[in-house]
Structures are given as structure tokens and as C-alpha cells.
Amino acid sequence: MNENLKQALSKVGEMPEIQEKLKNAKSLDEVYEIMQSVQSGYTLDEFKAAMTELKEAKTEELSDEDLDSVAGGSYHGYSPEDIGKTFVTYLTFGIG
């Protein structure tokens, strides 16, 4: 993963206002733009690859607590409609 993107992911964990923007994002492109405002130095392709990597890391069995924190009580993975919420979920669980 790109070092600048790793730094951006670390920063977001301590930025509740950015987390809220990410939760409300409607597309991957919107999430990318928000993350660029935190720190730049990575491409959209690098960002997409990192999100895929995070998704794959998160496909392990989830605990009841994890399931409760995901909308609807089930994990639907990486979808454009929920990218912001999913992204913040990854950060919340310390994946990265």
C-alpha cells in the first residue's frame, strides 16, 4: 500500500469530522476526494487497490459486535452506496 495512503488512513482514525463525511459519501470517487483532503500523494487506482485489499482482509468471520456495527446487522461488503460507512468501519476495526 502507498505510504501516503497509509498515513492518510492513520490520520482519519483521529478525525471525527472526516469520518462523518466518509459515512455520508455516496461513491468511491467521493471517498477518494475526501481522503485526498486529508493527505495526497496516491492515485485513484492505488486507492481502489487499497480498498479492495481492506475488503479482502475484512472477509474473515465477523464477531456479533462487528455485525451489530454494520447496517442491517449483516455484512454486504464493498458497495458504492455504503462505501463511506464501510470505509469508516474498516478504520474503526483497525484494519490498514
Side-chain angles (χ1 to χ4, degrees):
M1 183 182 300
N2 177 297
E3 192 59 38
N4 289 322
L5 181 52
K6 285 182 186 178
Q7 290 175 6
L9 292 171
S10 294
K11 290 177 184 179
V12 169
E14 298 178 16
M15 301 175 78
E17 69 282 355
I18 295 295
Q19 291 176 22
E20 190 62 32
K21 287 181 182 181
L22 291 168
K23 286 179 188 177
N24 295 320
K26 302 295 183 206
S27 69
L28 180 59
D29 289 339
E30 190 176 346
V31 170
Y32 174 72
E33 291 301 319
I34 294 166
M35 290 302 298
Q36 284 286 307
S37 74
V38 173
Q39 180 164 337
S40 60
Y42 49 92
T43 66
L44 178 59
D45 287 339
E46 289 173 318
F47 182 74
K48 286 180 179 180
M51 294 301 96
T52 299
E53 184 180 314
L54 290 172
K55 177 194 173 225
E56 290 170 359
K58 192 62 179 169
T59 58
E60 300 170 10
E61 187 174 324
L62 300 173
S63 69
D64 289 341
E65 183 179 313
D66 292 347
L67 289 172
D68 288 341
S69 70
V70 180
S74 62
Y75 182 72
H76 299 289
Y78 184 74
S79 68
E81 296 80 25
D82 292 329
I83 183 61
K85 291 176 186 173
T86 302
F87 185 73
V88 172
T89 300
Y90 293 143
L91 295 174
T92 301
F93 295 123
I95 298 171

